[in-house]
Amino acid sequence: MEHYPKMSRQNYTFTSESVSEGHPDKVCDRISDAILDAFLAEDDQARVACETFATTDRVVIGGEVRGPGSVIERVEEIARDCVKDIGYEQKGFHWANMHVDNYLHAQSADIAQGVDAAGNKDEGAGDQGIMFGYAVDETEELMPAPIHYAHQILKTLAEVRKNGTEPKLGPDMKSQFSLRYENGKPVEATSIVLSAQHIDPDLTSEDMRGIVEPYITKILPEGWITGATEWWINPTGKFVIGGPDGDAGLTGRKIIVDTYGGAAPHGGGAFSGKDPTKVDRSAAYAARYLAKNVVAAGLARKCTLQLSYAIGVSKPLSIYVETHGTSEVHEAEIEAAIPKVMDLTPRGIRTHLALNKPVFERTAAYGHFGRAPEADGGFSWERTDLAEALKKAL
């Protein structure tokens, strides 16, 4: 039997979806991360595992925390501020009228003893688990193009809704973007799907297309929209009742939207509402950081990276790298180089990426990856400052 080199498919169509900040699940992610930020602003060592549920006229918040009691007293105010900023002032879900239940309570002592540093024991991972990072050179941000543009469409529409340019749009939206690849490069949008809540009940699907199409056309690279591109704008015809009044929401239910749009594996753990001792979040950020730096260093055009952890154990149990046939360097050499350039213990990740800061609320919509690093430390895992160190380590 002949053996052929491992190569990625070159000609195919791939689809990713995104949801806006007003989507019921994203409302919950936003509240959970805003509460996390409030704790970290008061105590950078706070422990937070905050879950939010939202439905008609009600928000329920629960979970385990270790930090200032003053923040727990402000939870209702924080939740209302989030919903107000998103823009919900509709019958059935209004920031001022919704009922807020707060069930946050103290962290389990059994979990705390496994995580906390003590004596000769370094701080351990907050749970077992597997985390994946991914990067690919098909966009400047080194993100898969379908999820990148699905996010950009919704982010732009949210901006023009909130600044008053398009007052007929509502907060709840979903996008879906199908992109045809030729010789491994994205070349054509085969379909564009958008369901956008609207304030005026008389607007038709055609009316909505007239509002959103100019923005979408401007966002997508020239030539991607063709005469064959299928447009599905509000395909059900009407979308007035939206947000948690139309469909219940829950923290952590949009993990593929949060990461790579299905273009890469996902370990299964959600991010929002979790402090950075929890490797579901911090190690997924570290895996993206490392995969992005592998691609930025020119070691591969595409990189998937996996880390694994056990609760209470500080060192990662395994590091796995796959370059999908796009690297001249053997994956085992990259795997060996990674621990030389970054400490992948929970404490090492938090220190390297400066994660003990209130920078998480902004991650709750439009993706945790592919965003620009910010001056205050936000999206620090998007830096490419390890590229030279990786090359030297090889």
Side-chain angles (χ1 to χ4, degrees):
M1 177 185 286
E2 290 187 69
H3 293 276
Y4 296 95
K6 187 171 45 180
M7 292 294 291
S8 299
R9 285 185 65 189
Q10 297 296 297
N11 302 308
Y12 57 93
T13 299
F14 194 82
T15 304
S16 293
E17 70 160 349
S18 182
V19 298
S20 72
E21 63 202 68
H23 184 279
D25 297 329
K26 281 289 147 203
V27 171
C28 294
D29 285 343
R30 170 77 175 270
I31 292 169
S32 292
D33 272 339
I35 290 167
L36 168 62
D37 275 1
F39 273 101
L40 291 175
E42 296 286 329
D43 176 4
D44 66 2
Q45 300 301 313
R47 299 284 169 77
V48 181
C50 177
E51 308 289 349
T52 303
F53 166 73
T55 186
T56 301
D57 277 334
R58 184 172 294 267
V59 168
V60 181
I61 299 160
E64 298 77 44
V65 298
R66 189 172 76 191
S70 58
V71 177
I72 296 179
E73 295 169 6
R74 293 195 289 116
V75 160
E76 180 175 340
E77 175 192 352
I78 292 167
R80 292 189 191 280
D81 286 347
C82 288
V83 175
K84 182 179 182 181
D85 182 69
I86 291 167
Y88 278 115
E89 295 184 343
Q90 63 190 40
K91 183 181 179 182
F93 199 73
H94 192 298
W95 64 269
N97 303 330
M98 65 187 191
H99 187 79
V100 180
D101 295 307
N102 178 8
Y103 296 107
L104 290 177
H105 61 273
Q107 183 188 42
S108 158
D110 291 346
I111 292 176
Q113 74 174 358
V115 177
D116 291 344
N120 293 325
K121 173 187 171 296
D122 192 11
E123 181 181 286
D127 200 354
Q128 72 174 49
I130 58 174
M131 301 85 206
F132 287 93
Y134 183 71
V136 61
D137 66 357
E138 62 193 45
T139 61
E140 285 184 15
E141 295 79 7
L142 303 185
M143 284 289 286
I147 188 67
H148 173 74
Y149 288 105
H151 285 324
Q152 292 307 308
I153 289 166
L154 294 184
K155 195 167 186 286
T156 299
L157 292 176
E159 288 166 0
V160 295
R161 168 180 66 86
K162 294 169 88 169
N163 69 21
T165 306
E166 299 293 350
K168 294 180 180 180
L169 295 178
D172 194 355
M173 301 184 202
K174 298 180 81 170
S175 65
Q176 188 168 286
F177 185 48
S178 298
L179 190 54
R180 184 171 69 84
Y181 287 72
E182 197 171 276
N183 298 319
K185 298 294 182 183
V187 295
E188 178 190 13
T190 60
S191 67
I192 298 166
V193 181
L194 181 77
S195 293
Q197 185 185 12
H198 48 99
I199 305 303
D200 182 349
D202 295 325
L203 290 179
T204 65
S205 296
E206 291 74 21
D207 295 331
M208 290 300 292
R209 179 169 173 175
I211 291 172
V212 304
E213 185 173 346
Y215 296 103
I216 295 172
T217 302
K218 189 175 180 181
I219 289 164
L220 297 182
E222 189 175 349
W224 279 16
I225 297 176
T226 70
T229 301
E230 295 183 3
W231 291 78
W232 300 98
I233 308 301
N234 283 24
T236 61
K238 187 177 180 182
F239 186 10
V240 175
I241 299 171
D245 186 33
D247 190 12
L250 199 64
T251 299
R253 209 158 50 179
K254 285 290 174 284
I255 57 177
I256 299 301
V257 169
D258 286 342
T259 54
Y260 309 103
H266 194 294
F271 301 156
S272 290
K274 296 176 180 176
D275 75 77
T277 67
K278 295 166 179 60
V279 285
D280 273 348
R281 181 170 218 160
S282 57
Y285 289 174
R288 159 63 179 174
Y289 175 61
L290 290 163
K292 186 175 184 180
N293 276 272
V294 166
V295 175
L299 302 177
R301 289 184 290 106
K302 183 187 295 187
C303 179
T304 300
L305 189 146
Q306 185 203 53
L307 301 172
S308 70
Y309 290 85
I311 187 167
V313 180
S314 59
K315 294 283 186 182
L317 306 183
S318 64
I319 300 171
Y320 167 79
V321 170
E322 170 62 69
T323 58
H324 309 276
T326 68
S327 175
E328 298 299 317
V329 180
H330 197 283
E331 283 99 339
E333 295 179 51
I334 301 174
E335 290 167 357
I338 282 169
K340 298 175 184 176
V341 300
M342 186 175 179
D343 177 356
L344 289 171
T345 64
R347 185 194 299 275
I349 293 170
R350 288 205 326 278
T351 302
H352 191 109
L353 298 177
L355 295 180
N356 284 93
K357 294 179 179 180
V359 294
F360 297 106
E361 183 179 354
R362 68 194 73 169
T363 68
Y366 314 118
H368 292 243
F369 307 130
R371 311 279 288 272
E374 297 176 346
D376 66 352
F379 301 103
S380 60
W381 49 93
E382 291 297 314
R383 302 188 314 244
T384 53
D385 55 348
L386 267 192
E388 288 304 315
L390 275 168
K391 284 193 279 190
K392 286 179 182 175
L394 286 165

